[in-house]
Amino acid sequence: MTAATLILGNKAYSSWSLRGWLMCKIARLEVEEAIHDMGADDWKAWVARHSPSGKVPCLLVDGATIWESLAIGEHLAERNPSAFFPADPIARAHARAIASEMHAGFTELRKAMWMNVRRRFPGKRRTEGALADIARIERIWGETRQRFGAGGPYLFGAQFGLADAMYAPVVARFHTWAPDLSAAAQSYADAVWQHPWMREWVAAAEAEPWVVARYEDPDI
């Protein structure tokens, strides 16, 4: 088994850490987790010792240092593409497009409704920008499921893949903030939230000792 280390932030709050961790799960890659408290005074210095970007996640594997969760997923997909992407070339291109859109966009949702898998803030922080981002995400999910999702509950059917991993923290945000969703979007979100890997992540987050105050107050 390949020795690998995954650099992570708090599981309660770190959406990008969740994406990188899920990529390793999809790849069935056993990793040693190195986690540090995002609220600690030495957080930035600690991350900078491991990650060239000074951000998490960062995967150390096969002599390589891979930062950015999408890059981690693409690297691991080279080992086993079928675990990450649908076989059809058109579906595969669509998966890459929506994963890239997630990676680059939805800044208003990120700012307004941060990830905190331990808390519930229903009805809070429904800013105009966040609601516009949510509407776009619902369209992405609906169109993808309609075109490619036959045979299972995930974006491309029965298999939880790279695109699902990219949107999993959005699902976590929706669980916390409970925006109004269509029945189809809620069904997909429920399927991702109940996935065994998500339950494992949430259980670990619940056991963490750290609390970062800025992620605990929905009225700031």
Side-chain angles (χ1 to χ4, degrees), residues 84-121:
F84 285 82
F85 292 108
D88 176 73
I90 301 301
R92 195 160 60 246
H94 187 92
R96 283 193 163 96
I98 64 174
S100 296
E101 185 173 350
M102 179 70 255
H103 188 271
F106 306 114
T107 55
E108 293 299 317
L109 174 63
R110 299 180 202 276
K111 288 189 297 184
M113 299 180 182
W114 52 83
M115 193 175 97
N116 184 342
V117 301
R118 298 190 298 214
R119 298 294 301 278
R120 296 276 284 166
F121 306 130

Side-chain angles (χ1 to χ4, degrees), residues 118-134:
R118 298 190 298 214
R119 298 294 301 278
R120 296 276 284 166
F121 306 130
K124 297 284 188 175
R125 300 186 62 83
R126 295 185 179 186
T127 66
E128 182 178 354
L131 293 177
D133 281 352
I134 290 168

Side-chain angles (χ1 to χ4, degrees), residues 9-219:
N10 300 45
K11 290 187 174 181
Y13 313 119
S14 183
S15 58
W16 288 106
S17 291
L18 172 56
R19 292 183 175 99
W21 185 86
L22 286 170
M23 300 301 181
C24 293
K25 286 292 187 180
I26 294 170
R28 302 299 197 271
L29 178 67
E30 294 290 337
V31 296
E32 178 183 352
E33 298 179 8
I35 303 177
H36 198 67
D37 177 15
M38 294 163 58
D41 291 340
D42 66 341
W43 163 250
K44 289 185 178 180
W46 181 84
V47 177
R49 290 199 297 269
H50 303 286
S51 172
S53 67
K55 298 178 180 179
V56 290
C58 184
L59 177 65
L60 313 178
V61 62
D62 293 338
T65 299
I66 309 165
W67 63 102
E68 295 289 349
S69 57
L70 189 55
I72 291 170
E74 288 284 0
H75 173 75
L76 295 177
E78 292 177 357
R79 304 161 177 247
N80 184 8
S82 64
F84 285 82
F85 292 108
D88 176 73
I90 301 301
R92 195 160 60 246
H94 187 92
R96 283 193 163 96
I98 64 174
S100 296
E101 185 173 350
M102 179 70 255
H103 188 271
F106 306 114
T107 55
E108 293 299 317
L109 174 63
R110 299 180 202 276
K111 288 189 297 184
M113 299 180 182
W114 52 83
M115 193 175 97
N116 184 342
V117 301
R118 298 190 298 214
R119 298 294 301 278
R120 296 276 284 166
F121 306 130
K124 297 284 188 175
R125 300 186 62 83
R126 295 185 179 186
T127 66
E128 182 178 354
L131 293 177
D133 281 352
I134 290 168
R136 172 58 187 154
I137 289 167
E138 287 196 89
R139 286 196 298 274
I140 290 171
W141 289 357
E143 291 167 3
T144 303
R145 292 275 303 132
Q146 184 175 23
R147 291 183 64 188
F148 306 111
Y154 304 116
L155 289 173
F156 293 87
Q159 181 170 286
F160 185 100
L162 181 142
D164 300 291
M166 290 300 294
Y167 282 90
V170 171
V171 168
R173 285 178 164 90
F174 289 173
H175 180 79
T176 297
W177 300 92
D180 296 328
L181 300 177
S182 68
Q186 189 63 61
S187 177
Y188 170 70
D190 289 345
V192 172
W193 185 248
Q194 294 302 326
H195 192 285
W197 294 335
M198 288 292 284
R199 306 320 306 152
E200 181 181 345
W201 177 273
V202 171
E206 294 282 0
E208 283 183 338
W210 308 300
V211 175
V212 181
R214 67 181 179 273
Y215 297 126
E216 296 292 324
D217 184 357
D219 297 316

